[in-house]
Amino acid sequence: MALPPVTTGMAVTFGLVFAALALFVSEKLPPDVTAIGVLVALAVLEPLTQVSPVEALSGFGSAATLTVLAMYILSEGVQRTGIVERLGLFLGRITGGEERRVLAATVSTTGLSAGFVNNTPVVAVFIPMVTDLAEQAGISRSRLLMPLSFAAMLGGKLTLVGTASNLIASDLAVELLDRGPIGMFEFTPLGVVVLAVGIAYLLTVGRYLVPERVAADTDLTEAYELEDHLSLVTVREDSPFVGQSVHEVQETIDGEEDIRADLLRIEREGEGVIAATTDRIVEAGDALVIRSTLRDLNRLVERYTLRQFPREVVTEEDLLGERGQLVEAVVLPDSALVGTRIGESILTRRLDTTVLAVKREGGLLREDLRERRLRAGDTLLLQTTPAAARYLTDTDDLALLREPKRPVDFDELEPEPLSPRTPVALGTLVGVILLAALDLLPIVIAALAGVFVMLATDCLSTRQAYDAVSWNVIFLLAGILPLGMALQRTGGAALVASLFAEVSVYVPTLALLGLVFLVSGLVAALITPVAMTVLMVPVAVDTASQVGADGFAFLLAVLFAGGAAFATPIGYQTNLMVYGPGGYRFTDFTRVGLPLQLVLAVVVTLGIAVIYGV
């Protein structure tokens, strides 16, 4: 089978594809910024890419983009009813602290919820609940958080509105297959099988592969390896610090060019207070908890006449002080904190909160934190106050894990009352699904109608609706969709399809379908399912055409591969959200996720053949 010749336009388009892939994987730029750059390049290079400026902008008005936007708002309306939190409390009461039951309840509930409500807020709400369940059961939260993310990904393939990549695939089906959009429950039979197999894997094989990275009773200073970065010193009578306020002491330390240190706590006569919350005057004999490297501490002790306790180990109790709390928090994907320097963030400037350490991509950051820019998925160890913790809990910037050493009794804990608009919010979501499922309205119109009802009935304020949208995903969608158009028009998709078709000489069509699933899943694990779907659906459909197979079957393989980005923590945002809290390493996702991906390659391939035909 001869391969089509490579044209200049094809070469330029592939160049843009590889440049985008490199930026997605390296994270030199945020994915949405990369997508906008691709959009601009496609329009500027129109004679070669065959994408006009108007077509380059068409992604902003596509049905997929608008439906995703609307579903974010609908999901927020349901979440604000409090029903998801009640579900977590119910799970806490019925599991009884037995690990297998806790795991089964977690993955089953999350998977089913993710089929109808956007899985990112579902995981954000469930992270602290799962942490509480793990604490109550006396098991490592690492054993539950990765399965939580995987179940959310699997559940996203239950319905058309489960994930953004499903909606993109539906739009592409109309464009490439000369058929109507995919129905609301058209692939649900296979989705149910995939979810069932995935849950069975997580409860059996996966249960033994998921590592215990964070012990159930680990002191947080140990978990973040702060032993060599926290020290206890006392103020001598002749120290320059005597007579200065706590604020002035920190300013004095900050004025030293060769010392990087933070005053965290001051204790006098057994009473300790968090340094960020007081302006107490320092006296001789005061004990200070200092965060610094040993080198900087030695300089500080010598220069300011302090006395160090070299054998004193600073624990999390030493960091609490009066009315203090030590909590962990995950930076959510759409957080306003993303990209801000820690020293300039609302945490430091307004909330009397100190970031003690950051878990990022399997590593720990403990030095020069003020200059570090926050990223989505960062897990922060915070020294804060109850008021600040309550404020952070109410924002959409951080998902707070509950503070340690304060056990939760789920049998005695009373849930917050449901919103009086709960029936309206749930009824609206059900109505949207039914309108689309019965083909009474296109999904995009039904979803936008649902948004109107939510806003008109005060289930959400306008501001809450705008804040609910993951604008980075919207811009990623709008920017990357024209790239798929360029691949089709320049013949790039046909060229890659020809390479797949060459394989068909040696393997049956069913095996080729499985190969498309595997390749698509691995690509999704590197560049996100949204971008993968845009690039791989045209290739899959062209491949089917060249080997005489059903194009819809090959499109479904790509669609389901979008929910199988298990092999890395960077491909899917829910993986990124549990990466830090679970204390995982990058390879943990490969060890647990790759076997599941191989199992699903067989299940999805055979399922498509049996249910839809190839």
Side-chain angles (χ1 to χ4, degrees), residues 1-6 10 14 18 491-507 512 515-516 519 536 538-540 542-544 546-547 554:
M1 186 180 295
L3 298 178
V6 178
M10 192 187 299
F14 277 129
F18 290 129
L495 176 62
V496 178
S498 296
L499 297 175
F500 275 107
E502 289 288 332
V503 178
S504 68
V505 176
Y506 308 99
V507 299
L512 184 62
L515 180 63
V516 169
V519 171
M536 287 300 298
V539 171
D542 266 335
T543 300
Q546 293 189 31
V547 300
F554 276 69

Side-chain angles (χ1 to χ4, degrees), residues 43-112:
V44 170
L45 300 172
E46 177 187 359
L48 298 173
T49 63
Q50 300 180 38
V51 176
S52 70
V54 172
E55 290 171 326
L57 296 172
S58 62
F60 287 99
S62 77
T65 303
L66 293 175
T67 306
V68 170
L69 184 151
M71 292 308 300
Y72 275 123
I73 297 173
L74 293 174
S75 295
E76 180 71 9
V78 172
Q79 183 187 341
R80 286 185 176 272
T81 64
I83 197 166
V84 179
E85 288 84 350
R86 282 206 170 206
L87 188 57
L89 180 58
F90 173 72
L91 294 181
R93 288 173 172 169
I94 67 171
T95 52
E98 199 276 317
E99 181 180 347
R100 189 183 291 273
R101 291 172 63 187
V102 171
L103 180 60
T106 298
V107 296
S108 301
T109 307
T110 306
L112 292 173

Side-chain angles (χ1 to χ4, degrees), residues 258-269:
D258 60 339
I259 296 177
R260 294 288 182 272
D262 293 303
L263 175 57
L264 302 178
R265 183 176 182 265
I266 179 170
E267 181 176 334
R268 180 182 304 156
E269 298 178 355

Side-chain angles (χ1 to χ4, degrees), residues 198-229:
I199 289 176
Y201 171 88
L202 293 172
L203 293 178
T204 54
V205 177
R207 181 165 173 254
Y208 296 101
L209 293 178
V210 175
E212 183 177 317
R213 295 296 183 198
V214 179
D217 57 351
T218 299
D219 184 285
L220 286 177
T221 58
E222 295 179 10
Y224 284 80
E225 300 177 15
L226 288 171
E227 297 91 338
D228 294 334
H229 293 78

Side-chain angles (χ1 to χ4, degrees), residues 27 126 161 184 218 352 402 480-481 516 521 539 581:
E27 297 183 309
F126 268 68
V161 296
M184 177 64 71
T218 299
D352 295 331
R402 73 169 181 82
I480 207 69
L481 281 172
V516 169
V539 171

Side-chain angles (χ1 to χ4, degrees), residues 219 221 265 267 314-321 326 404-405:
D219 184 285
T221 58
R265 183 176 182 265
E267 181 176 334
V314 179
T315 67
E316 60 183 83
E317 294 295 333
D318 297 318
L319 294 172
L320 296 180
L326 209 61
K405 309 303 182 187

Side-chain angles (χ1 to χ4, degrees), residues 163-178:
T163 67
S165 57
N166 295 352
L167 294 163
I168 294 172
S170 178
D171 261 17
L172 291 173
V174 175
E175 181 180 342
L176 301 176
L177 295 175
D178 192 26

Side-chain angles (χ1 to χ4, degrees), residues 298-316:
N298 290 333
R299 291 173 179 170
L300 187 67
V301 166
E302 181 179 353
R303 200 167 299 175
Y304 290 96
T305 321
L306 307 172
R307 183 162 68 92
Q308 182 181 358
F309 293 88
R311 296 183 180 179
E312 190 75 21
V313 176
V314 179
T315 67
E316 60 183 83

